[in-house]
Amino acid sequence: MRGPLLGAWRGRCGRAFSFAAQAPQRRERPPWRVLFFGTDGFAAEALQALQAAREPTPGQLVDRLEVVTLPSQLPKGLPVKRSAEELQLPIHLWPDVGPCEHFDVGVVASFGRLLGEDLILKFPYGVLNVHPSYLPRWRGPAPIIHTVLHGDTSTGATIIQIRPKRFDVGPIVKQESIAVPAQCSAKELELILSKLGTKLLISVLQNLPESLRNKREQPKEGATFAPKATVAMSCIQWEEQTAEQIVRLHRALGTMMPLQTLWMGTAVKLLAFVEVETLPDALDRTATEKGAVPGSVFYHKQLETLVIRCKEGWVGAKGVILKKKLTAADFYNGYLHPWFQQNSQMPSGTCRFQTLKLVTAKKSPKGTVLQVHNA
C-alpha cells in the first residue's frame, strides 16, 4: 500500500504546486495589472490615462488593462465602452467581470454599482475609487451637480480605497482641493475634476504600496450626501428660489435637462439663463405698475431676453420650448404682446410663469406616471 499512497500524495502535491505556479503573485512595484470599472465621460478620461500608462517605457505603470462597464440602450454604448473599443481593450458587461484573480488592483470611476466583498478581496491591493469631490463632502452619485447647485467655492478630487456595502466611505489614499471657477457649469467642472482625479490616480499608482500604507480614514465631520439628479429638481419654484439659486440650478442641471415651469397650465422649458442685476427704468416702472409677483415675466427688448421675477431679484431666459423652440422675441410676440394680453380669454394673473410640481403617481401595471400639478 505504501507505493500507491506515496504516489497519490506526490500527485496531489504536484497539482497544488502546479496551481501555485500558475496563480498570479503579488507585485511589489509597477507595472500593475488593472481591471477598470466605469461608465461615463468622467470615467473615460481615467481609462485613457491608464491606457497611456501602458507605454513600454522605463516608467511603465500599467501592464494588463481590461474594462467592466454597464449594459446600455444607447446604440454605441456608454462613453467608457466606446473608449475601450477604440483602445481595443477587453470589455466585460456587468455583472460579468472576467477572471479577477489575474489583476493586482481594481479602479472604479463613475460606475454606480456596489462591489461585493468577495470581488474586492480578489485584488491584492483592493479597489481604488476616483471620486469628484473633496470627501467626505458630497458622497453619492451626483457630487459635481450638488457642488454647483449649493454654490460651493471649493471642491476637489479624492482617491479612496473601496469598502463593500456602502458608497464613498473608504479610507482616503490621496486628495487635492481646488477653487470652483466663477459661473462654472457642472459640465465644465466635470472636465476639470476628471483631469484632476486622473492626475491623482496616476500619482497613487506610481507608488501603490506606500500610498496604501499612508491611507487615512475619512473625517466624520462635514459629510454630506449628493443624491442622483431627478427631473423634479428641474422645476423652478418662483416663490421660494432667488435669482441666484435659479441661475445655479441652471448651471447644475442645464446640460442634462432644461429647467421647467408652467405657462397657462402647460409645462414649458426655459433655455439659456442669464443674470439680470437691474431692470431698465421703463421696464422697472411697468413691473411696478403691474405689481410684479414671483413668476411675472416681461420682455427686455435691448437684451432680447425674458426677465422673470423670483423670490428675490430677476432672472433672464433667452428662449422657451413651448410645443416648439421659441426665442424670447417669439414668445413675447405670441404671448406677452399687449394685443395678446387684451384679447386673451385667460383669467387675470394666469399669464405668468407658475411653479410646476411633478408628483409620482402610484405604480400601475404599466409603470409609474408623472402627474403635473399647479402650485
PDB file of all heavy atoms in Angstrom, residues 117-140:
ATOM      1  N   GLU A 117     -17.871  42.157  -1.277  1.00  0.00           N
ATOM      2  CA  GLU A 117     -16.621  41.893  -0.557  1.00  0.00           C
ATOM      3  C   GLU A 117     -15.815  40.782  -1.224  1.00  0.00           C
ATOM      4  O   GLU A 117     -14.587  40.874  -1.319  1.00  0.00           O
ATOM      5  CB  GLU A 117     -16.930  41.523   0.887  1.00  0.00           C
ATOM      6  CG  GLU A 117     -15.698  41.372   1.756  1.00  0.00           C
ATOM      7  CD  GLU A 117     -16.050  41.186   3.213  1.00  0.00           C
ATOM      8  OE1 GLU A 117     -17.239  40.969   3.514  1.00  0.00           O
ATOM      9  OE2 GLU A 117     -15.132  41.243   4.051  1.00  0.00           O
ATOM     10  N   ASP A 118     -16.477  39.744  -1.703  1.00  0.00           N
ATOM     11  CA  ASP A 118     -15.768  38.641  -2.366  1.00  0.00           C
ATOM     12  C   ASP A 118     -15.001  39.148  -3.580  1.00  0.00           C
ATOM     13  O   ASP A 118     -13.872  38.702  -3.836  1.00  0.00           O
ATOM     14  CB  ASP A 118     -16.763  37.554  -2.797  1.00  0.00           C
ATOM     15  CG  ASP A 118     -17.348  36.805  -1.607  1.00  0.00           C
ATOM     16  OD1 ASP A 118     -16.786  36.934  -0.506  1.00  0.00           O
ATOM     17  OD2 ASP A 118     -18.360  36.096  -1.787  1.00  0.00           O
ATOM     18  N   LEU A 119     -15.596  40.066  -4.319  1.00  0.00           N
ATOM     19  CA  LEU A 119     -14.933  40.612  -5.500  1.00  0.00           C
ATOM     20  C   LEU A 119     -13.755  41.492  -5.098  1.00  0.00           C
ATOM     21  O   LEU A 119     -12.652  41.375  -5.656  1.00  0.00           O
ATOM     22  CB  LEU A 119     -15.938  41.413  -6.330  1.00  0.00           C
ATOM     23  CG  LEU A 119     -15.391  42.139  -7.572  1.00  0.00           C
ATOM     24  CD1 LEU A 119     -14.729  41.165  -8.531  1.00  0.00           C
ATOM     25  CD2 LEU A 119     -16.510  42.910  -8.265  1.00  0.00           C
ATOM     26  N   ILE A 120     -13.958  42.360  -4.119  1.00  0.00           N
ATOM     27  CA  ILE A 120     -12.886  43.268  -3.689  1.00  0.00           C
ATOM     28  C   ILE A 120     -11.670  42.491  -3.207  1.00  0.00           C
ATOM     29  O   ILE A 120     -10.514  42.857  -3.487  1.00  0.00           O
ATOM     30  CB  ILE A 120     -13.412  44.208  -2.582  1.00  0.00           C
ATOM     31  CG1 ILE A 120     -14.481  45.145  -3.153  1.00  0.00           C
ATOM     32  CG2 ILE A 120     -12.275  45.024  -1.958  1.00  0.00           C
ATOM     33  CD1 ILE A 120     -15.210  45.963  -2.102  1.00  0.00           C
ATOM     34  N   LEU A 121     -11.915  41.395  -2.474  1.00  0.00           N
ATOM     35  CA  LEU A 121     -10.809  40.621  -1.901  1.00  0.00           C
ATOM     36  C   LEU A 121      -9.991  39.866  -2.950  1.00  0.00           C
ATOM     37  O   LEU A 121      -8.911  39.362  -2.643  1.00  0.00           O
ATOM     38  CB  LEU A 121     -11.350  39.636  -0.867  1.00  0.00           C
ATOM     39  CG  LEU A 121     -11.913  40.270   0.416  1.00  0.00           C
ATOM     40  CD1 LEU A 121     -12.517  39.204   1.320  1.00  0.00           C
ATOM     41  CD2 LEU A 121     -10.830  41.054   1.153  1.00  0.00           C
ATOM     42  N   LYS A 122     -10.478  39.802  -4.169  1.00  0.00           N
ATOM     43  CA  LYS A 122      -9.719  39.123  -5.226  1.00  0.00           C
ATOM     44  C   LYS A 122      -8.542  39.965  -5.717  1.00  0.00           C
ATOM     45  O   LYS A 122      -7.647  39.448  -6.383  1.00  0.00           O
ATOM     46  CB  LYS A 122     -10.639  38.785  -6.402  1.00  0.00           C
ATOM     47  CG  LYS A 122     -11.643  37.680  -6.076  1.00  0.00           C
ATOM     48  CD  LYS A 122     -12.520  37.356  -7.272  1.00  0.00           C
ATOM     49  CE  LYS A 122     -13.509  36.238  -6.924  1.00  0.00           C
ATOM     50  NZ  LYS A 122     -14.385  35.905  -8.072  1.00  0.00           N
ATOM     51  N   PHE A 123      -8.540  41.250  -5.383  1.00  0.00           N
ATOM     52  CA  PHE A 123      -7.450  42.130  -5.810  1.00  0.00           C
ATOM     53  C   PHE A 123      -6.452  42.284  -4.663  1.00  0.00           C
ATOM     54  O   PHE A 123      -6.838  42.742  -3.578  1.00  0.00           O
ATOM     55  CB  PHE A 123      -7.990  43.501  -6.203  1.00  0.00           C
ATOM     56  CG  PHE A 123      -8.974  43.468  -7.342  1.00  0.00           C
ATOM     57  CD1 PHE A 123     -10.336  43.385  -7.102  1.00  0.00           C
ATOM     58  CD2 PHE A 123      -8.526  43.514  -8.656  1.00  0.00           C
ATOM     59  CE1 PHE A 123     -11.247  43.359  -8.147  1.00  0.00           C
ATOM     60  CE2 PHE A 123      -9.430  43.486  -9.705  1.00  0.00           C
ATOM     61  CZ  PHE A 123     -10.792  43.405  -9.464  1.00  0.00           C
ATOM     62  N   PRO A 124      -5.189  41.935  -4.856  1.00  0.00           N
ATOM     63  CA  PRO A 124      -4.205  42.052  -3.771  1.00  0.00           C
ATOM     64  C   PRO A 124      -4.136  43.442  -3.156  1.00  0.00           C
ATOM     65  O   PRO A 124      -3.909  43.581  -1.957  1.00  0.00           O
ATOM     66  CB  PRO A 124      -2.886  41.690  -4.468  1.00  0.00           C
ATOM     67  CG  PRO A 124      -3.283  40.800  -5.599  1.00  0.00           C
ATOM     68  CD  PRO A 124      -4.611  41.314  -6.064  1.00  0.00           C
ATOM     69  N   TYR A 125      -4.333  44.485  -3.980  1.00  0.00           N
ATOM     70  CA  TYR A 125      -4.291  45.856  -3.467  1.00  0.00           C
ATOM     71  C   TYR A 125      -5.693  46.475  -3.339  1.00  0.00           C
ATOM     72  O   TYR A 125      -5.819  47.691  -3.181  1.00  0.00           O
ATOM     73  CB  TYR A 125      -3.413  46.733  -4.369  1.00  0.00           C
ATOM     74  CG  TYR A 125      -1.946  46.396  -4.259  1.00  0.00           C
ATOM     75  CD1 TYR A 125      -1.304  45.634  -5.238  1.00  0.00           C
ATOM     76  CD2 TYR A 125      -1.181  46.819  -3.169  1.00  0.00           C
ATOM     77  CE1 TYR A 125       0.047  45.322  -5.147  1.00  0.00           C
ATOM     78  CE2 TYR A 125       0.167  46.512  -3.064  1.00  0.00           C
ATOM     79  CZ  TYR A 125       0.771  45.762  -4.052  1.00  0.00           C
ATOM     80  OH  TYR A 125       2.109  45.443  -3.959  1.00  0.00           O
ATOM     81  N   GLY A 126      -6.722  45.649  -3.415  1.00  0.00           N
ATOM     82  CA  GLY A 126      -8.070  46.164  -3.265  1.00  0.00           C
ATOM     83  C   GLY A 126      -8.534  46.929  -4.504  1.00  0.00           C
ATOM     84  O   GLY A 126      -8.004  46.756  -5.607  1.00  0.00           O
ATOM     85  N   VAL A 127      -9.527  47.793  -4.303  1.00  0.00           N
ATOM     86  CA  VAL A 127     -10.109  48.564  -5.406  1.00  0.00           C
ATOM     87  C   VAL A 127     -10.061  50.042  -5.054  1.00  0.00           C
ATOM     88  O   VAL A 127     -10.501  50.459  -3.978  1.00  0.00           O
ATOM     89  CB  VAL A 127     -11.571  48.135  -5.669  1.00  0.00           C
ATOM     90  CG1 VAL A 127     -12.163  48.949  -6.820  1.00  0.00           C
ATOM     91  CG2 VAL A 127     -11.651  46.650  -5.984  1.00  0.00           C
ATOM     92  N   LEU A 128      -9.521  50.839  -5.977  1.00  0.00           N
ATOM     93  CA  LEU A 128      -9.448  52.289  -5.806  1.00  0.00           C
ATOM     94  C   LEU A 128     -10.632  52.953  -6.492  1.00  0.00           C
ATOM     95  O   LEU A 128     -11.092  52.500  -7.537  1.00  0.00           O
ATOM     96  CB  LEU A 128      -8.147  52.832  -6.400  1.00  0.00           C
ATOM     97  CG  LEU A 128      -6.840  52.233  -5.879  1.00  0.00           C
ATOM     98  CD1 LEU A 128      -5.660  52.801  -6.656  1.00  0.00           C
ATOM     99  CD2 LEU A 128      -6.680  52.513  -4.381  1.00  0.00           C
ATOM    100  N   ASN A 129     -11.122  54.044  -5.911  1.00  0.00           N
ATOM    101  CA  ASN A 129     -12.224  54.806  -6.497  1.00  0.00           C
ATOM    102  C   ASN A 129     -11.771  56.242  -6.746  1.00  0.00           C
ATOM    103  O   ASN A 129     -11.236  56.889  -5.857  1.00  0.00           O
ATOM    104  CB  ASN A 129     -13.432  54.789  -5.557  1.00  0.00           C
ATOM    105  CG  ASN A 129     -14.590  55.641  -6.062  1.00  0.00           C
ATOM    106  OD1 ASN A 129     -15.264  56.303  -5.294  1.00  0.00           O
ATOM    107  ND2 ASN A 129     -14.839  55.626  -7.358  1.00  0.00           N
ATOM    108  N   VAL A 130     -11.995  56.725  -7.972  1.00  0.00           N
ATOM    109  CA  VAL A 130     -11.708  58.120  -8.317  1.00  0.00           C
ATOM    110  C   VAL A 130     -13.009  58.892  -8.127  1.00  0.00           C
ATOM    111  O   VAL A 130     -13.957  58.721  -8.895  1.00  0.00           O
ATOM    112  CB  VAL A 130     -11.220  58.253  -9.772  1.00  0.00           C
ATOM    113  CG1 VAL A 130     -10.805  59.690 -10.065  1.00  0.00           C
ATOM    114  CG2 VAL A 130     -10.076  57.287 -10.052  1.00  0.00           C
ATOM    115  N   HIS A 131     -13.055  59.749  -7.106  1.00  0.00           N
ATOM    116  CA  HIS A 131     -14.306  60.439  -6.756  1.00  0.00           C
ATOM    117  C   HIS A 131     -14.161  61.951  -6.955  1.00  0.00           C
ATOM    118  O   HIS A 131     -13.211  62.554  -6.455  1.00  0.00           O
ATOM    119  CB  HIS A 131     -14.663  60.149  -5.298  1.00  0.00           C
ATOM    120  CG  HIS A 131     -16.008  60.676  -4.905  1.00  0.00           C
ATOM    121  ND1 HIS A 131     -17.181  60.020  -5.201  1.00  0.00           N
ATOM    122  CD2 HIS A 131     -16.372  61.814  -4.247  1.00  0.00           C
ATOM    123  CE1 HIS A 131     -18.205  60.711  -4.742  1.00  0.00           C
ATOM    124  NE2 HIS A 131     -17.737  61.802  -4.156  1.00  0.00           N
ATOM    125  N   PRO A 132     -15.125  62.592  -7.658  1.00  0.00           N
ATOM    126  CA  PRO A 132     -15.004  64.021  -7.973  1.00  0.00           C
ATOM    127  C   PRO A 132     -15.549  64.952  -6.895  1.00  0.00           C
ATOM    128  O   PRO A 132     -16.439  65.766  -7.149  1.00  0.00           O
ATOM    129  CB  PRO A 132     -15.795  64.140  -9.281  1.00  0.00           C
ATOM    130  CG  PRO A 132     -16.854  63.103  -9.166  1.00  0.00           C
ATOM    131  CD  PRO A 132     -16.247  61.970  -8.389  1.00  0.00           C
ATOM    132  N   SER A 133     -15.035  64.832  -5.685  1.00  0.00           N
ATOM    133  CA  SER A 133     -15.322  65.808  -4.632  1.00  0.00           C
ATOM    134  C   SER A 133     -14.235  65.678  -3.576  1.00  0.00           C
ATOM    135  O   SER A 133     -13.460  64.724  -3.579  1.00  0.00           O
ATOM    136  CB  SER A 133     -16.705  65.587  -4.000  1.00  0.00           C
ATOM    137  OG  SER A 133     -16.667  64.551  -3.033  1.00  0.00           O
ATOM    138  N   TYR A 134     -14.200  66.657  -2.689  1.00  0.00           N
ATOM    139  CA  TYR A 134     -13.229  66.620  -1.599  1.00  0.00           C
ATOM    140  C   TYR A 134     -13.901  65.935  -0.416  1.00  0.00           C
ATOM    141  O   TYR A 134     -14.466  66.576   0.468  1.00  0.00           O
ATOM    142  CB  TYR A 134     -12.787  68.045  -1.240  1.00  0.00           C
ATOM    143  CG  TYR A 134     -11.497  68.089  -0.459  1.00  0.00           C
ATOM    144  CD1 TYR A 134     -10.265  67.938  -1.097  1.00  0.00           C
ATOM    145  CD2 TYR A 134     -11.498  68.289   0.918  1.00  0.00           C
ATOM    146  CE1 TYR A 134      -9.083  67.990  -0.382  1.00  0.00           C
ATOM    147  CE2 TYR A 134     -10.318  68.338   1.637  1.00  0.00           C
ATOM    148  CZ  TYR A 134      -9.111  68.184   0.981  1.00  0.00           C
ATOM    149  OH  TYR A 134      -7.925  68.231   1.691  1.00  0.00           O
ATOM    150  N   LEU A 135     -13.872  64.603  -0.441  1.00  0.00           N
ATOM    151  CA  LEU A 135     -14.555  63.809   0.582  1.00  0.00           C
ATOM    152  C   LEU A 135     -14.072  64.174   1.985  1.00  0.00           C
ATOM    153  O   LEU A 135     -12.900  64.534   2.160  1.00  0.00           O
ATOM    154  CB  LEU A 135     -14.312  62.314   0.318  1.00  0.00           C
ATOM    155  CG  LEU A 135     -15.034  61.742  -0.908  1.00  0.00           C
ATOM    156  CD1 LEU A 135     -14.546  60.325  -1.196  1.00  0.00           C
ATOM    157  CD2 LEU A 135     -16.542  61.754  -0.723  1.00  0.00           C
ATOM    158  N   PRO A 136     -15.012  64.155   2.976  1.00  0.00           N
ATOM    159  CA  PRO A 136     -16.328  63.495   2.939  1.00  0.00           C
ATOM    160  C   PRO A 136     -17.470  64.346   2.396  1.00  0.00           C
ATOM    161  O   PRO A 136     -18.619  63.930   2.460  1.00  0.00           O
ATOM    162  CB  PRO A 136     -16.570  63.155   4.404  1.00  0.00           C
ATOM    163  CG  PRO A 136     -15.924  64.271   5.147  1.00  0.00           C
ATOM    164  CD  PRO A 136     -14.684  64.596   4.356  1.00  0.00           C
ATOM    165  N   ARG A 137     -17.194  65.552   1.854  1.00  0.00           N
ATOM    166  CA  ARG A 137     -18.281  66.345   1.288  1.00  0.00           C
ATOM    167  C   ARG A 137     -18.735  65.734  -0.038  1.00  0.00           C
ATOM    168  O   ARG A 137     -17.928  65.389  -0.881  1.00  0.00           O
ATOM    169  CB  ARG A 137     -17.848  67.790   1.076  1.00  0.00           C
ATOM    170  CG  ARG A 137     -18.996  68.696   0.596  1.00  0.00           C
ATOM    171  CD  ARG A 137     -18.780  70.127   0.987  1.00  0.00           C
ATOM    172  NE  ARG A 137     -19.831  71.028   0.491  1.00  0.00           N
ATOM    173  CZ  ARG A 137     -20.997  71.242   1.094  1.00  0.00           C
ATOM    174  NH1 ARG A 137     -21.283  70.583   2.206  1.00  0.00           N
ATOM    175  NH2 ARG A 137     -21.887  72.077   0.593  1.00  0.00           N
ATOM    176  N   TRP A 138     -20.027  65.619  -0.169  1.00  0.00           N
ATOM    177  CA  TRP A 138     -20.696  65.131  -1.376  1.00  0.00           C
ATOM    178  C   TRP A 138     -20.343  63.693  -1.725  1.00  0.00           C
ATOM    179  O   TRP A 138     -19.869  63.398  -2.809  1.00  0.00           O
ATOM    180  CB  TRP A 138     -20.468  66.058  -2.565  1.00  0.00           C
ATOM    181  CG  TRP A 138     -20.971  67.450  -2.341  1.00  0.00           C
ATOM    182  CD1 TRP A 138     -20.293  68.607  -2.576  1.00  0.00           C
ATOM    183  CD2 TRP A 138     -22.250  67.837  -1.818  1.00  0.00           C
ATOM    184  NE1 TRP A 138     -21.056  69.698  -2.238  1.00  0.00           N
ATOM    185  CE2 TRP A 138     -22.275  69.250  -1.759  1.00  0.00           C
ATOM    186  CE3 TRP A 138     -23.378  67.131  -1.375  1.00  0.00           C
ATOM    187  CZ2 TRP A 138     -23.380  69.972  -1.292  1.00  0.00           C
ATOM    188  CZ3 TRP A 138     -24.476  67.850  -0.900  1.00  0.00           C
ATOM    189  CH2 TRP A 138     -24.470  69.239  -0.880  1.00  0.00           C
ATOM    190  N   ARG A 139     -20.618  62.807  -0.774  1.00  0.00           N
ATOM    191  CA  ARG A 139     -20.648  61.381  -1.098  1.00  0.00           C
ATOM    192  C   ARG A 139     -21.900  61.117  -1.933  1.00  0.00           C
ATOM    193  O   ARG A 139     -22.904  61.792  -1.780  1.00  0.00           O
ATOM    194  CB  ARG A 139     -20.719  60.545   0.186  1.00  0.00           C
ATOM    195  CG  ARG A 139     -19.499  60.660   1.086  1.00  0.00           C
ATOM    196  CD  ARG A 139     -19.789  60.006   2.435  1.00  0.00           C
ATOM    197  NE  ARG A 139     -18.626  59.988   3.318  1.00  0.00           N
ATOM    198  CZ  ARG A 139     -18.664  59.657   4.588  1.00  0.00           C
ATOM    199  NH1 ARG A 139     -19.817  59.324   5.141  1.00  0.00           N
ATOM    200  NH2 ARG A 139     -17.563  59.660   5.314  1.00  0.00           N
ATOM    201  N   GLY A 140     -21.843  60.109  -2.780  1.00  0.00           N
ATOM    202  CA  GLY A 140     -23.041  59.763  -3.537  1.00  0.00           C
ATOM    203  C   GLY A 140     -22.870  59.917  -5.034  1.00  0.00           C
ATOM    204  O   GLY A 140     -21.788  60.245  -5.528  1.00  0.00           O
TER     205      GLY A 140
END
